[in-house]
């Protein structure tokens, strides 16, 4: 069995803890797995001032502190913005980038550029009322993000989320080149039941094709498959991450 190193990078409103169920499955397969929490989503972080670069630098620092190399860097959702930046910051530590229903920005784009206008309008309103932090309304979470769960799991998972620094959605990313030109190997995992983005503005192929040459892996489940089927997403990530 080949032992690889995975770093699972959470999306908005999450911490590394929510990816631990999947991490445990990968560890059981013999891999080394890390689940850091990005700057902006730790309990004492300032949601008003933390931006995308802060989050990316915190991940780069984590790779340095743990002296990680040949990493399969896995980004979920908003985490795709972060791993794209870290591919510039620490390319020598990365063996492969794996996007899981994740944003793939072009140089100078922000996350809000990649979501439907009604989401941006909603987040603008929420952030203005809550000190620069955004939360998902439960109905959107229930219907669009975790549609493959029963109500009990949808509710318990929602209670684990934390307010997210809206500045990370507004900050344009700094990239030296489009991700299609990035020489690192890349994979995209597409969860087939994911409706967090409308199907007319979906994850794949709209965003995945920005990677240029990439490995495509499909998985069952919703945007929050981490909660609903950690076995399935662990298997998909392993397929996406192998050499």
């Amino acid at each position: 069995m080949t032992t690889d190193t995975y770093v699972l990078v959470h999306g908005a409103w999450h911490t590394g803890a929510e990816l631990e169920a999947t991490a445990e499955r990968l560890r059981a397969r013999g891999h080394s797995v890390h689940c850091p929490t990005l700057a902006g989503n730790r309990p004492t972080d300032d949601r008003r001032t933390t931006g995308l670069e802060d989050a990316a630098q915190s991940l780069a620092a984590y790779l340095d502190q743990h002296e990680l190399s040949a990493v399969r860097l896995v980004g979920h959702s908003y985490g795709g913005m972060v791993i794209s930046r870290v591919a510039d910051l620490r390319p020598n530590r990365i063996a492969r980038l794996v996007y899981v229903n994740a944003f793939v920005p072009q140089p100078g784009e922000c996350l809000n550029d990649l979501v439907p206008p009604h989401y941006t309008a909603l987040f603008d309103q929420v952030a203005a009322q809550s000190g620069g932090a955004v939360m998902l309304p439960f109905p959107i979470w229930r219907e669009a993000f975790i549609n493959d769960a029963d109500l009990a799991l949808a509710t318990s998972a929602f209670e684990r989320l934390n307010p997210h620094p809206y500045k990370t959605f507004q900050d344009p990313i700094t990239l030296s080149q489009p991700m299609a030109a990035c020489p690192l190997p890349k994979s995209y995992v597409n969860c087939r039941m994911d409706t967090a983005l409308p199907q007319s503005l979906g994850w794949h192929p709209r965003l995945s094709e920005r990677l240029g040459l990439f490995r495509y892996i499909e998985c069952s489940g919703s945007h929050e498959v981490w909660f609903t089927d950690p076995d399935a997403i662990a298997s998909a990530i392993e397929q996406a991450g192998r050499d």
Side-chain angles (χ1 to χ4, degrees), residues 5 18 23 43 53 58 71-73 79 81 89 119 194 220 228 230:
T5 299
E18 284 78 67
E53 185 68 13
S58 74
V71 166
R72 275 72 180 161
L73 192 60
M81 301 291 293
L89 296 172
Y119 272 171
D194 190 331
S220 60
T228 59

Side-chain angles (χ1 to χ4, degrees), residues 93-114:
R93 293 194 178 276
I94 300 169
R96 179 175 286 269
L97 298 168
V98 179
Y99 293 76
V100 179
N101 286 91
F103 293 101
V104 182
Q106 300 286 21
E109 283 186 331
C110 69
L111 185 146
N112 276 355
D113 291 330
L114 305 178

Side-chain angles (χ1 to χ4, degrees), residues 41-234:
N41 293 101
R42 302 160 183 163
T44 59
D45 287 343
D46 186 345
R47 266 61 174 173
R48 186 182 297 276
T49 61
T50 303
L52 179 60
E53 185 68 13
D54 299 310
Q57 291 289 347
S58 74
L59 178 58
Y62 185 93
L63 300 181
D64 292 344
Q65 289 161 8
H66 294 267
E67 299 182 348
L68 299 179
S69 60
V71 166
R72 275 72 180 161
L73 192 60
V74 182
H76 176 235
S77 196
Y78 153 74
M81 301 291 293
V82 179
I83 70 169
S84 297
R85 174 63 177 140
V86 173
D88 253 3
L89 296 172
R90 297 293 186 277
N92 294 338
R93 293 194 178 276
I94 300 169
R96 179 175 286 269
L97 298 168
V98 179
Y99 293 76
V100 179
N101 286 91
F103 293 101
V104 182
Q106 300 286 21
E109 283 186 331
C110 69
L111 185 146
N112 276 355
D113 291 330
L114 305 178
V115 301
H118 69 271
Y119 272 171
T120 304
L122 170 67
F123 293 149
D124 285 346
Q125 184 178 17
V126 171
Q129 297 169 352
S130 56
V134 286
M135 268 298 288
L136 272 179
F138 181 76
I140 294 176
W141 169 261
R142 173 73 189 105
E143 303 299 348
F145 279 68
I146 197 163
N147 37 300
D148 55 343
D150 61 23
L151 180 60
L153 178 56
T155 302
S156 64
F158 185 75
E159 289 169 352
R160 296 176 64 182
L161 303 182
N162 71 89
H164 188 82
Y166 190 41
K167 193 172 183 292
T168 64
F169 289 7
Q170 299 172 306
D171 287 350
I173 194 167
T174 300
L175 293 178
S176 63
Q177 59 193 347
M179 294 311 299
C182 174
L184 292 170
K186 290 156 284 194
S187 298
Y188 203 97
V189 176
N190 182 39
C191 296
R192 290 188 295 268
M193 294 174 66
D194 190 331
T195 57
L197 290 180
Q199 294 302 290
S200 59
L201 288 170
W203 304 97
H204 171 78
R206 178 178 72 108
L207 296 175
S208 60
E209 288 184 348
R210 292 172 161 212
L211 295 175
L213 179 65
F214 70 100
R215 181 185 304 165
Y216 177 69
I217 302 293
E218 284 194 348
C219 181
S220 60
S222 68
H223 195 65
E224 294 296 335
V225 68
W226 314 94
F227 293 106
T228 59
D229 197 347
D231 287 315
I233 191 59

